[in-house]
């Protein structure tokens, strides 16, 4: 069975023509799936019943069901634990900003990357999500909250570039004017640094924002936090980033989770400034969220502010990420981990 929601317009046309249907049916069905955002075939009112029966033999419509929903009393952040059709769980978070609503979506169920401080990777990767399952996290939240989402960050569970084809399919579908029509400039993709895939992404020349989870200024510290650093050293990663900036003319965002006694010293700040010197980039400092395994402690705000000011003094564009939804453990992986344990 194939996920009908994951098909782009060209594939949908092909599928319908092979069922002996006119091409305009593809446009109608695409509109039901991505504009009306229906959850079942039977809601597609202008599609003949006989065709619907035929479609049901080969296709299904991917959907997420809300298993749990947590609403922050502090800042209107909403976190969903979704149940997929095969019983797996994923998480999404909707955040409210001045410029609109942003959603953080998952791209995999679990994660294979093994970052030491991250809850999503605790039990490894279960499976990739289809493009339709990534989309439905957005559609379901919009429906549930009666809102329009304007920005997307691929920063939920999973490593987007480890699910490359479905993620690219998702990006094309969600930005399609015939669908949700959320422009690439309103989308960020975050990666722990799969260097070969960064080059693949560059070739597609998309206008999205690439975020790199850097978290350390040198190999010794980075390898102690992120196993991916044993595959691709920082020098290779930075080279790929410079290449990406040159080819796309887009600013890269570096994420740096600040951890007490690990990567928060003045020396680290100077080393980081040196590493990123002259690059078209932005550094986003994230006060680390302590997960249950422990070992990664958030420094006090004074230390993080000093780290920021050192970077700024060296000419590096830097901000500290605002913490949202702190009363609902909004950082991804935590809810699913609890549910799986139960
Ligand atoms: N796999 C991708 C995207 C998912 S993680 C990536 O690695 O970028 C989204 C961001 O949250 C990454 O920067 C990740 O390193 C960071 N992160 C994960 N766990 C965290 C924690 N406990 N505290 C702070 N940031 C965390």
């Amino acid at each position: 069975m194939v996920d009908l929601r994951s098909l782009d317009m060209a594939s949908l046309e092909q599928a319908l023509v092979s069922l002996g249907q006119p091409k305009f049916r593809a446009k109608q069905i695409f509109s039901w799936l991505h504009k009306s955002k229906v959850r079942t075939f039977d809601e597609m009112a202008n599609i003949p019943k006989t065709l619907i029966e035929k479609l049901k033999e080969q296709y299904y419509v991917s959907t997420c069901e809300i298993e749990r929903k947590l609403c922050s009393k502090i800042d209107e952040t909403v976190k969903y634990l979704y149940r997929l059709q095969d019983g797996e769980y994923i998480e999404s978070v909707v955040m409210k900003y001045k410029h609109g609503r942003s959603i953080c979506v998952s791209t995999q169920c679990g994660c294979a990357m093994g970052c030491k401080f991250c809850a999503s990777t605790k039990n490894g990767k279960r499976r990739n999500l289809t493009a339709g399952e990534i989309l439905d996290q957005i559609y379901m939240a919009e429906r549930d909250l009666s809102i329009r989402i304007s920005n997307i960050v691929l920063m939920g569970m999973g490593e987007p570039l480890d699910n490359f084809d479905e993620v690219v399919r998702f990006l094309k579908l969600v930005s399609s004017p015939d669908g949700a029509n959320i422009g690439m400039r309103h989308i960020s993709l975050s990666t722990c640094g799969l260097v070969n895939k960064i080059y693949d992404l560059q070739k597609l020349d998309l206008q999205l924002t690439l975020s790199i989870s850097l978290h350390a200024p040198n190999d010794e510290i980075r390898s102690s936090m992120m196993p991916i650093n044993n595959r691709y050293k920082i020098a290779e990663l930075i080279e790929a980033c410079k290449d990406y900036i040159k080819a796309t003319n887009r600013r890269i965002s570096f994420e740096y989770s600040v951890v007490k006694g690990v990567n928060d010293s003045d020396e680290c700040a100077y080393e980081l400034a040196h590493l990123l010197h002259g690059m078209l980039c932005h550094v986003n400092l994230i006060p680390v969220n302590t997960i249950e395994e422990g070992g990664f402690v958030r420094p006090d705000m004074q230390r993080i502010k000093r780290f920021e000011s050192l970077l700024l003094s060296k000419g590096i564009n830097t901000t500290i990420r605002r913490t949202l939804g702190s009363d609902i453990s909004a950082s991804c992986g935590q809810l699913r981990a609890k549910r799986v344990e139960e």
Side-chain angles (χ1 to χ4, degrees), residues 104 107 111 113 115 117-120 154-160 189-193 211-215 226 255-258 286-291 296 321 331-332 334:
C104 175
T107 55
C111 182
M113 296 298 121
C115 297
F117 48 87
C118 180
S120 299
L154 276 65
M155 284 190 191
M157 295 173 53
E159 167 50 49
L189 183 154
S190 178
T191 175
C192 66
S211 293
I212 304 285
S213 298
L214 188 59
H215 304 325
M226 306 172 73
E255 286 151 279
Y256 195 101
S257 296
V258 206
I286 313 170
V288 76
N289 283 300
T290 307
I291 60 170
F296 292 88
R321 179 171 302 170
S331 48
C332 273
Q334 303 181 353

